[in-house]
Amino acid sequence: DVKVTQSSRYLVKRTGEKVFLECVQDMDHENMFWYRQDPGLGLRLIYFSYDVKMKEKGDIPEGYSVSREKKERFSLILESASTNQTSMYLCASSPGPTGREQYFGPGTRLTVT
Amino acid sequence: KQEVTQIPAALSVPEGENLVLNCSFTDSAIYNLQWFRQDPGKGLTSLLLIQSSQREQTSGRLNASLDKSSGRSTLYIAASQPGDSATYLCAVSYGGGADGLTFGKGTHLIIQP
């Protein structure tokens, strides 16, 4: 079975802190994704990556950056956390290059106070 | 901008009933469509993936259909059980698979014992 793991289930940070959310997949997938999920807004794509050191902006990249130094790991970085970044963050992966199923991790609920 | 709409937003039915969840998308040039299940506070579990060239997919009591020309998909759940209670999400891919998914806001399903 595909396994996507995220470093924390719950995280509380203060405004202005630099925050790292880590995601690891164990199926040698080329593609990895970061989404956030908010009530009333649904899931929205932040960034994705189709190869090591490659990254593409999604629909809402402002305030975020990403890093993919190894194929299995995709990190989401909040450079200076703000309260409007309080959300559920979900990581996903899929095999590439042709369209296949996306597999999701358990999510990280981030609260910024 | 592509939009995905799910109707109804919420549904409550007695155990044992067959039911249909609906998904519509504004741009019919999709690459594939995926149905997910999400339990409260958890990540997404992939249920079915339909490629744009396919008309339906089946897994156990679940059947998903796709009418690309009309921009619609349905998820049929047969003989519903209380364990089916969850939020069901529909998502489409417009890229070659390396692009992210565009999600509907989901249907919150409650199966009454």
Side-chain angles (χ1 to χ4, degrees):
Chain A
D1 280 352
V2 176
K3 195 160 179 87
V4 180
T5 58
Q6 295 183 230
S7 51
S8 305
R9 291 299 311 275
Y10 301 94
L11 207 54
V12 180
K13 295 292 182 180
R14 294 193 180 275
T15 301
E17 279 193 78
K18 190 169 186 176
V19 181
F20 293 86
L21 302 182
E22 306 286 343
C23 176
V24 177
Q25 49 93 5
D26 67 356
M27 284 303 291
D28 201 36
H29 286 174
E30 282 77 9
N31 309 313
M32 297 189 74
F33 309 83
W34 275 107
Y35 298 86
R36 64 177 282 177
Q37 184 176 29
D38 301 287
L41 296 176
L43 278 97
R44 294 175 291 167
L45 180 66
I46 304 171
Y47 266 99
F48 64 97
S49 169
Y50 54 88
D51 201 353
V52 175
K53 295 192 185 296
M54 304 302 290
K55 60 185 179 183
E56 295 286 342
K57 293 180 180 179
D59 298 320
I60 51 164
E62 298 78 17
Y64 303 95
S65 62
V66 290
S67 173
R68 194 166 181 201
E69 297 297 319
K70 294 185 178 181
K71 190 175 185 180
E72 67 271 19
R73 187 181 297 270
F74 192 35
S75 302
L76 180 69
I77 303 159
L78 286 65
E79 297 290 342
S80 177
S82 64
T83 55
N84 63 13
Q85 293 179 309
T86 291
S87 186
M88 171 72 112
Y89 289 88
L90 292 157
C91 174
S93 72
S94 71
T98 56
R100 305 267 188 92
E101 276 182 277
Q102 286 195 20
Y103 297 89
F104 280 76
T108 295
R109 183 162 296 280
L110 172 67
T111 301
V112 182
T113 62
Chain B
K1 180 185 173 185
Q2 303 96 345
E3 289 187 5
V4 178
T5 303
Q6 291 187 246
I7 294 173
L11 183 62
S12 180
V13 301
E15 180 179 4
E17 283 201 6
N18 302 324
L19 56 98
V20 174
L21 307 181
N22 296 292
C23 172
S24 62
F25 40 94
T26 53
D27 185 345
S28 62
I30 65 169
Y31 194 85
N32 60 41
L33 183 145
Q34 200 167 349
W35 281 94
F36 294 91
R37 168 191 173 129
Q38 185 175 32
D39 294 290
K42 301 289 179 63
L44 277 63
T45 300
S46 178
L47 298 173
L48 290 163
L49 172 73
I50 309 178
Q51 300 290 351
S52 60
S53 58
Q54 297 175 319
R55 294 301 298 267
E56 65 179 316
Q57 284 285 339
T58 298
S59 176
R61 294 182 293 108
L62 305 179
N63 175 277
S65 68
L66 174 64
D67 184 342
K68 188 178 164 185
S69 61
S70 68
R72 294 182 181 180
S73 175
T74 61
L75 179 66
Y76 176 82
I77 302 176
S80 58
Q81 303 170 359
D84 295 330
S85 298
T87 296
Y88 289 81
L89 294 159
C90 166
V92 298
S93 169
Y94 287 100
D99 287 343
L101 296 172
T102 300
F103 282 84
K105 290 186 172 59
T107 294
H108 181 54
L109 177 64
I110 296 174
I111 306 299
Q112 306 155 8

